[in-house]
Structures are given as structure tokens and as C-alpha cells.
């Protein structure tokens, strides 16, 4: 891997993480789960190369064809249910336990951060493992890996149609989650931006504003993104491999400093 990422970039990133220990925050997107076998939306092999988002992940799509939208979600759930957290998820959880990382703000809906042991996980776009009643608004936790059997799952309280409790295109991000994320960002000094294309708003405003406030951004992504120009260090490669290497460097005695 060090053939791809200059080793000095990896050690600079590791040094930053150590120096700002306790003030490091991770901001993640679909790419952090790509090595777990979960397709991303954009980028090479992204889901949208095969499906049209406006036909599946919008309130209008669900109104006109809920069965089709549920089918797509159940297909995605079946992929996620088989997935294991990657090194990136695991290292983030470990760093949180050790007081290095404050927590994770994620755009993902897969639940892999929690599965890896992360405790402070802000889910800006909801969770695929939770449903919400379209009539009474009640939320139901399914638990990781539990896929509804019915074609059209119904609310056990009022019989209303259930939908995945995720944020679709054209829908607002839950205000409480966004505000919690903003607070964490304001306390952080170093932001690790991992596996996100940085085009989904308002989520992308969090790192954009952080950069404006002079915070240090480290990007982990095999491809150039919307946020690349804001990052002090860009680690080009798969998140799992990069985090495995970073974990080793952060653990090492910093005598080489
Ligand atoms: P995105 O699909 O727009 O972008 C994915 C990014 O990941 C790209 O920049 C790509 O270069 C990068 N990437 C690909 N493989 C990688 C790897 N191995 N390591 C690091 N980076 C890698 O994703 P987004 O920015 O999160 O925005 C899309 C929306 O899609 C989000 O709102 C999210 O809710 C949803 N989504 C979630 C999941 C999930 O929960 N796993 C999966 C697909 C989409
Ligand atoms: Zn209901």
C-alpha cells in the first residue's frame, strides 16, 4: 500500500492524530463500507450506475411504487446483513475507546460503525435497520440483519405503511442530528473525511465550514472529491488499508518525531 500513498503523508497524518488526540472527529460516507462489499452510490462501481436514484430513493418514488422501493431496500439490507466492519470501522471504534477519536458523524445507513464498537455515532441520514410509520410516525428498530418479511411492512400500532427510516433525496436531514454533528465539529481540531464524495447537502457543509474555521482536514479516498482541495493531507487509497496502516503508526512510539 505504501507504494500508492507516500509514506510521509501517512506519518504526517498519524502525527496529527496523536498531537490532537481527543479532538479528532471522523466524517464518513459510503466509501468507508465499500471494502465490506456494500456498493457506494457514486464513484466507480457506484449503485447509481445501475439504478436511477430518482426512481428509488425519493418520497415520490415511494408514494407511486412502495413495493419496488421496499424491494430495493431489502436487496440492500441483504447485502449489508452479510457485511463485516472493515479495518476503518474497527480502528475508529478502537480510537474512540482510547480517547483519541471523539466519535463518528456518518452519512451511512448501514450500522457498521456501531457493529464495530463505535459508541458515539451520529447518523445524519438515518438507519436502514429502522422503519418509520408513514401514518403515525412511530419508529421501530429492526436490529442489524433483520429484514422485514412482508412485501409491504405495516405498523403494529396503527396498521399504516412502514418506510425505511432513512433520509431520501429532497428530504431534510433530521435537525437534532445535524445540530449534534455541528457541536462535535465545533469542538474538533482535526477532521478525518473518509469515503465521501462530499456532494450531498447539507452534510457536506459540515467539513466545508470546518475548513473555513481553520480546522485541519485529512481526506481518505481513492479518488479526488469535492472536498479534496480543502484537505491538508490527502491519503489516496482504500479506507480499510489506510486505517490499518494509520493505526500501526499512531500506536508506535513517536520517537521519530
Ligand atoms: P457517495 O456514494 O456519493 O461517494 C462514495 C465515495 O467513496 C466516493 O468518493 C468514492 O471515491 C469513495 N470510495 C470508494 N471506495 C472507497 C474505499 N475503499 N475507501 C474510501 N473511499 C472509497 O457516498 P456519500 O458521500 O456517502 O453520499 C451518498 C449517500 O449515499 C449518503 O447519503 C449515504 O446515506 C448513502 N449511502 C449509504 C451507504 C451505506 O450506508 N453503506 C451506501 C450507499 C449510499
Ligand atoms: Zn403507525
Amino acid at each position: 500500500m505504501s507504494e500508492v500513498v507516500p509514506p510521509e503523508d501517512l506519518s504526517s497524518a498519524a502525527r496529527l492524530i496523536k498531537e490532537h488526540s481527543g479532538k479528532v472527529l471522523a466524517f464518513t460516507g459510503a466509501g468507508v463500507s465499500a471494502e465490506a462489499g456494500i456498493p457506494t452510490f457514486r464513484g466507480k462501481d457506484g449503485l447509481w450506475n445501475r439504478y436511477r436514484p430518482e426512481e428509488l430513493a425519493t418520497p415520490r418514488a415511494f408514494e407511486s411504487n412502495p413495493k419496488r422501493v421496499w424491494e430495493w431496500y431489502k436487496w440492500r439490507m441483504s447485502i449489508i446483513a452479510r457485511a463485516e466492519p472493515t479495518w476503518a470501522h474497527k480502528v475508529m471504534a478502537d480510537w474512540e475507546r482510547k480517547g483519541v477519536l471523539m466519535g463518528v458523524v456518518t452519512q451511512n445507513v448501514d450500522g457498521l460503525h456501531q457493529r464495530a464498537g463505535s459508541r458515539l455515532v451520529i447518523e445524519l441520514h438515518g438507519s436502514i435497520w429502522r422503519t418509520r410509520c408513514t401514518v403515525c410516525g412511530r419508529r421501530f428498530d429492526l436490529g442489524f440483519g433483520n429484514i422485514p418479511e412482508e412485501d409491504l411492512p405495516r405498523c403494529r400500532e396503527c396498521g399504516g405503511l412502514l418506510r425505511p427510516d432513512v433520509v431520501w433525496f429532497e428530504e431534510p436531514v433530521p435537525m437534532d442530528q445535524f445540530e449534534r454533528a455541528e457541536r462535535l465539529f465545533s469542538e474538533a481540531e482535526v477532521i478525518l473525511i473518509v469515503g465521501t464524495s462530499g456532494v450531498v447537502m447539507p452534510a457536506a457543509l459540515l467539513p466545508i465550514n470546518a475548513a473555513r474555521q481553520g480546522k485541519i482536514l485529512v481526506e481518505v479516498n481513492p479518488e479526488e472529491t469535492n472536498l479534496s482541495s480543502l484537505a491538508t493531507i490527502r491519503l489516496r487509497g482504500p479506507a480499510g488499508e489506510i486505517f490499518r496502516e494509520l493505526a500501526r503508526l499512531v500506536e508506535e512510539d513517536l520517537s521519530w518525531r
Side-chain angles (χ1 to χ4, degrees):
M1 209 225 15
S2 42
E3 293 156 26
V4 191
V5 182
E8 60 274 20
D9 287 352
L10 278 168
S11 27
S12 307
R15 192 185 306 133
L16 273 176
I17 291 164
K18 269 221 128 146
E19 283 173 357
H20 295 266
S21 180
K23 294 282 181 187
V24 182
L25 180 66
F27 176 69
T28 67
V32 77
S33 298
E35 286 150 273
I38 304 171
T40 60
F41 279 3
R42 299 175 191 80
K44 275 201 279 80
D45 308 321
L47 274 180
W48 296 140
N49 300 336
R50 282 175 283 153
Y51 296 94
R52 298 209 307 153
E54 62 275 18
E55 284 177 11
L56 295 158
T58 69
R60 235 174 315 121
F62 191 69
E63 265 164 45
S64 64
N65 198 341
K67 193 160 169 273
R68 190 162 128 81
V69 173
W70 260 118
E71 260 167 27
W72 184 57
Y73 271 90
K74 286 198 215 171
W75 170 72
R76 289 181 60 199
M77 289 167 116
S78 70
I79 293 173
I80 297 169
R82 291 192 299 266
E84 293 292 336
T86 70
W87 276 102
H89 296 102
K90 289 188 227 171
V91 168
M92 287 180 206
D94 186 47
W95 284 351
E96 185 186 0
R97 273 192 295 273
K98 291 176 173 152
V100 174
L101 193 78
M102 299 161 67
V104 181
V105 175
T106 189
Q107 299 164 86
N108 293 348
V109 297
D110 58 33
L112 285 187
H113 283 298
Q114 292 90 331
R115 230 174 139 63
S118 279
R119 278 166 297 201
L120 181 50
V121 182
I122 297 183
E123 295 180 316
L124 292 175
H125 294 158
S127 170
I128 204 164
W129 302 115
R130 203 168 55 228
T131 57
R132 185 169 91 227
C133 179
T134 54
V135 177
C136 73
R138 280 189 183 86
R139 293 183 155 86
F140 301 97
D141 273 318
L142 298 168
F144 188 95
N146 296 318
I147 304 169
E149 281 169 17
E150 312 88 321
D151 285 349
L152 289 173
R154 296 267 161 194
C155 175
R156 60 171 175 261
E157 299 296 331
C158 79
L161 181 61
L162 293 176
R163 58 165 280 178
D165 193 19
V166 300
V167 176
W168 283 328
F169 291 101
E170 300 158 25
E171 290 186 320
V173 163
M175 192 58 99
D176 53 337
Q177 299 305 307
F178 197 77
E179 284 173 358
R180 281 178 72 203
E182 278 184 320
R183 276 199 295 278
L184 275 178
F185 267 79
S186 72
E187 290 163 21
E189 292 166 1
V190 172
I191 322 281
L192 310 175
I193 301 177
V194 190
T196 177
S197 56
V199 299
V200 177
M201 291 294 174
L205 287 177
L206 292 163
I208 291 170
N209 289 338
R212 275 197 200 120
Q213 290 158 13
K215 296 179 193 281
I216 304 165
L217 271 49
V218 175
E219 178 174 70
V220 180
N221 197 311
E223 291 176 43
E224 177 95 16
T225 76
N226 245 23
L227 304 171
S228 297
S229 62
L230 304 175
T232 308
I233 302 178
R234 291 172 280 268
L235 303 173
R236 291 270 168 264
E241 288 181 34
I242 301 237
F243 269 81
R244 195 175 181 172
E245 193 63 16
L246 280 177
R248 195 178 61 72
L249 293 169
V250 167
E251 289 292 320
E252 252 174 29
D253 176 24
L254 288 185
S255 52
W256 43 265
R257 246 208 286 184

